Amino acid sequence: MLLEVREVTKSFPGVLALRGVDLTLGRGEVLAVLGENGAGKSTLMKILAGVQAADEGTFFLEGKTVRIDSVRAAMAVGIALIHQELNLAENLEIAANIFLGRELRRFGLLDDETMREEAAKYLAMVGLEVDAAMEVGMLPIGKQQLVEIAKALSVDAQVLIMDEPTSSLSQTEAEQLFVVIKDLVSRGVSIIYISHRLSEIGQIADRVMVLRDGENAGELMGAEINHQAMVQLMVGRDLDRFYQRSQHALGEVRMEVHGLRTAAYPDHETSFQLAAGEVVGVAGLVGAGRSEILEALFGVVPALGGEVWINGQLVRISSPQEAIAAGLALVPEDRKTQGAILDMSILENISLASLRRDARGGAFLNLEAENELAQEGIKNLSISTPGVEQYVRYLSGGNQQKVVLAKWLVMKPQVLLLDEPTRGIDVGAKEEIYGLIEALAQQGMAILFVSSELEEVMGLSDRVLVMHEGAFSGELGGDECTEERIMSLATGDATILETTKA
Amino acid sequence: MKKILGILLTLVVLFGLTAALGDGFLGAYNQEKLLERTALFGILGIGVAFVIITGGIDLSIGSVVCLVGCGLPWLLVKQEWSPAFALAVVVLVSASIGLIHGLLITKLKLQPFVVTLCGLLVYRGITRGFTEDQSQGFEGGFGSLRQVVTEKIPVMGGFGIPWTWVILVLVAVVAGIFLNKTIYGRYLRALGSNEEAARFSGINTDRMVILSYVVCSLLAGLGGVLFVMDVGSAQPSDFGNFYELYAIAAAVLGGCSLRGGQGTVVGVVIGAAVMQVLKNMINLVTWIPTHIEFAVVGAVILVAVVADELVKRTVATRRARKSS
């Protein structure tokens, strides 16, 4: 056993975050740590990486007791944490990032040349073929992640803790990461892997350890690792149907889009229709231009060309105000920077879009209406909070996302646009949001959503549109919709195009 | 109320200290002057608070005060314009300055610091140019116009409330209603907290930002008019020097966060009062050397901001604890 952790307990004021948690990790093993938000995963990882100190607990490395009470101590025993939000200085070159804080010097001055040579070795280990003198900011996110890993390797890390490494990667980038992980494992590096994406855990984990409410909830080995079993351990109850999709009775056409062009791919046009009560998923790789379509429809970044018809009427949308007036709503991709205002209350967030509609005399706040909307939102979306005055910052990710949804639902939109609606939220909240999407469709709302989680796209959609480089490469419905088909359309692999209609 | 408690307490303590240590602090004349100065800087502070709430900054306030303060007597005396016309032009110029700042910041995405820093230099330079760096004054005329500022509402024992204070109260009430009771006030706070999320919620953020700079420059212009009417003449090279910093300090003391999204009008007025009492204290308390004024003012602001930050952290921990 490379690393063994016994009876770790950690409390924060008012909460017992971890109680007597055990963890073992073999050499060259990939251990996935699962749990809903708040289950204690992050705390455990921070303790292992020395970012926070445990109240109680013992740590053994190769059978010997070690103390991990600082990041330096963790690094000394070979444990490195790769954060979900990458910690790279984007304005510095790759080599400078890898040697940040322990720069190589010659005559007291920076020895860039040697650092670049050294860095190149570690870059080769993670299969990254770029010049070490390149600025990190120039690299796509997936490659920046590899730089982080190279950095960890350069301090001779034995245990790499990866916190949601694929949350901002495309499928291809994720696949590349998995190849790197397998290679590292074959060299004897051990990986602790945290992810909300259950499908990839089945793909790369040797063993799964599940935390629930700060305690060990169980383990799965090899063939036991499947979606159902993981979800069951995480939520502690049987979710026999995660996606409760029923047959939707489609109404008349709600939205028709002709020849839409966005700045991301000015030469490509997209056209599609959306009926009342229909849920259409948009799949594709990151960078395929999916979010850009939603942003163009919502007027955030006005389209370069094309026509949008809502309920048979041509509408002109060059700003979110016009989009809202036309009956559209957008739940954006990034909850914290685009969706919610973290330092405002739930009430102020929920009423933000409808303030003008409900204003008295066109300008004065209508506090009763606001309060009513907020209470309604909290009730209908079961947002768990002590009250409407709570700042959104202090809510869990799932509840934050529900606040953003509530903001739009009070506007009673005709068409709901969702961009990665469940990114980074726990399984329980995901399930609730899926249920909500289903219920809204039943009520006749037209829903267009972008998601990088294939399972989600397949599970929720009546129809799936697949994007490749700014254009729809195919449309899949019902039984045609398989992971393989979506991926081959998304990657532009034409072999199965003939079986589908563009 | 909770948000302004700290600064209110500071004001009371400073007031008490100065009353105890300084000679003639409580005299009618001194109190009138104190109210008047608080009113003038309060008006500038309320203006800059609008900008600070959006997450911006305006460094050009002092130069706008100078432009208007020298420009008004120059138009009246040197150009012999009618008061109504001269005042209208002055208001228009102030508003245009804010509009230009707002347009540069929103449409060209320039940084507020840079735009208004250039403003600071340009408006003072222009003023020194058209006045040929000569002091501009009313030369004993326009008494009835200046009465608005120099007259007082008698209360008792020779103490009267200066009209400038009444003007401040009017400005504060209107600004307070705008910020707290209208949807636009909410929009300003929302975009100051998170501009992108505000835009994604259908708020015309550009328009709101421009509005805040127009309000700021307009109030700076109003301040300039009142200042020059009060003093009687203005020297282009130093009239209004550092006033933007006093205004910003008042706003920050009053609870505005330079990160945007926060601020109350009452807080800003109290902040302006704290600055004036502090200045008064340095002048009246004999053993404090007058020349260290800036050091004292700077230190007090720093202490206030540090205290505020510490309180905020405690509140945040408590809130987080409550929700988990």
Side-chain angles (χ1 to χ4, degrees), chain A residues 319 321 356, chain B residues 107 187 191 198-199 201-209:
Chain A
S319 68
Q321 292 92 292
R356 184 182 298 276
Chain B
K107 303 301 175 192
Y187 287 175
L191 83 89
R199 200 159 51 88
S201 300
I203 296 169
N204 191 334
T205 51
D206 282 2
R207 200 182 294 169
M208 295 309 300
V209 169

Side-chain angles (χ1 to χ4, degrees), chain A residues 254-255 272-282 293-295 297-298 310-311 323-324 326-332 353 381 401-421 432-450 460, chain B residues 200:
Chain A
R254 268 284 157 78
M255 179 163 80
F272 61 93
Q273 282 189 351
L274 201 56
E278 189 177 28
V279 180
V280 173
V282 181
I293 287 196
L294 297 192
E295 288 183 353
L297 288 173
F298 198 63
I310 307 274
N311 289 333
I324 293 168
L328 298 180
L330 169 66
V331 173
L381 282 87
Q401 188 71 331
K402 288 188 205 165
V403 169
V404 179
L405 271 160
K407 170 172 72 183
W408 291 116
L409 295 184
V410 301
M411 295 294 284
K412 308 216 171 356
Q414 301 279 313
V415 178
L416 181 60
L417 310 171
L418 304 165
D419 200 350
E420 305 283 0
E432 288 179 65
I433 285 177
Y434 295 154
L436 186 72
I437 290 174
E438 174 62 26
L440 291 171
Q442 296 283 359
Q443 291 161 25
M445 199 177 284
I447 297 170
L448 182 70
F449 80 102
V450 164
L460 289 176
Chain B
F200 272 80

Side-chain angles (χ1 to χ4, degrees), chain B:
Chain B
M1 189 59 206
K2 252 190 243 162
K3 284 180 199 150
I4 58 166
L5 208 59
I7 186 69
L8 194 59
L9 206 68
T10 313
L11 178 63
V12 171
V13 170
L14 280 177
F15 197 92
L17 268 179
T18 319
L21 301 173
D23 294 333
F25 176 71
L26 293 175
Y29 178 76
N30 191 56
Q31 287 300 311
E32 274 173 10
K33 271 284 155 215
L34 202 56
L35 274 183
E36 189 184 88
R37 290 270 126 178
T38 300
L40 293 171
F41 283 100
I43 289 169
L44 301 184
I46 291 170
V48 82
F50 271 76
V51 164
I52 291 177
I53 286 172
T54 70
I57 195 79
D58 190 342
L59 299 176
S60 72
I61 294 170
S63 294
V64 173
V65 167
C66 173
L67 176 68
V68 170
C70 296
L72 184 65
W74 183 76
L75 288 175
L76 291 173
V77 176
K78 299 270 160 57
Q79 309 299 311
E80 297 178 353
W81 287 18
S82 76
F85 194 51
L87 281 171
V89 166
V90 159
V91 168
L92 201 69
V93 167
S94 310
S96 311
I97 285 174
L99 184 68
I100 293 166
H101 291 170
L103 286 172
L104 288 172
I105 288 160
T106 55
K107 303 301 175 192
L108 280 185
K109 313 255 176 265
L110 300 183
Q111 284 166 340
F113 191 99
V114 176
V115 170
T116 59
L117 178 65
C118 295
L120 176 148
L121 297 168
V122 170
Y123 313 135
R124 186 166 298 274
I126 288 176
T127 311
R128 293 179 71 166
F130 72 76
T131 58
E132 292 169 332
D133 220 7
Q134 297 303 304
S135 173
Q136 302 295 312
F138 296 105
E139 298 179 354
F142 303 95
S144 55
L145 185 67
R146 287 183 59 200
Q147 264 179 6
V148 180
V149 179
T150 50
E151 288 293 292
K152 314 194 169 8
I153 306 168
V155 179
M156 55 172 194
F159 172 76
I161 294 175
W163 271 104
T164 41
W165 181 258
V166 177
I167 295 171
L168 168 76
V169 171
L170 280 178
V171 168
V173 167
V174 172
I177 289 174
F178 183 87
L179 286 177
N180 297 313
K181 302 289 177 195
T182 71
I183 59 173
Y184 303 107
R186 183 73 63 75
Y187 287 175
L188 280 183
R189 280 215 302 123
L191 83 89
S193 272
N194 185 342
E195 180 158 2
E196 207 176 353
R199 200 159 51 88
F200 272 80
S201 300
I203 296 169
N204 191 334
T205 51
D206 282 2
R207 200 182 294 169
M208 295 309 300
V209 169
I210 293 171
L211 176 74
S212 74
Y213 282 92
V214 170
V215 168
C216 182
S217 294
L218 262 179
L219 289 181
L222 174 63
V225 169
L226 297 178
F227 270 112
V228 76
M229 285 198 196
D230 181 32
V231 186
S233 69
Q235 182 67 44
S237 58
D238 71 355
F239 196 65
N241 261 346
F242 290 126
Y243 282 14
E244 60 281 336
L245 298 184
Y246 284 112
I248 292 166
V252 170
L253 278 175
C256 290
S257 161
L258 289 180
R259 289 184 207 105
Q262 284 174 3
T264 63
V265 173
V266 181
V268 174
V269 174
I270 299 175
V274 165
M275 299 282 295
Q276 294 311 314
V277 173
L278 204 55
K279 275 178 87 165
N280 211 212
M281 177 157 113
I282 294 161
N283 279 323
L284 295 180
V285 179
T286 39
W287 49 265
I288 304 179
T290 323
H291 297 302
I292 65 162
E293 180 190 323
F294 280 156
V296 175
V297 172
V300 168
I301 295 175
L302 195 60
V303 169
V305 174
V306 168
D308 184 55
E309 187 62 39
L310 293 178
V311 170
K312 248 187 247 156
R313 276 192 205 175
T314 335
V315 173
T317 347
R318 218 174 289 159
R319 256 179 197 272
R321 216 176 290 172
K322 217 194 289 175
S323 66
S324 60

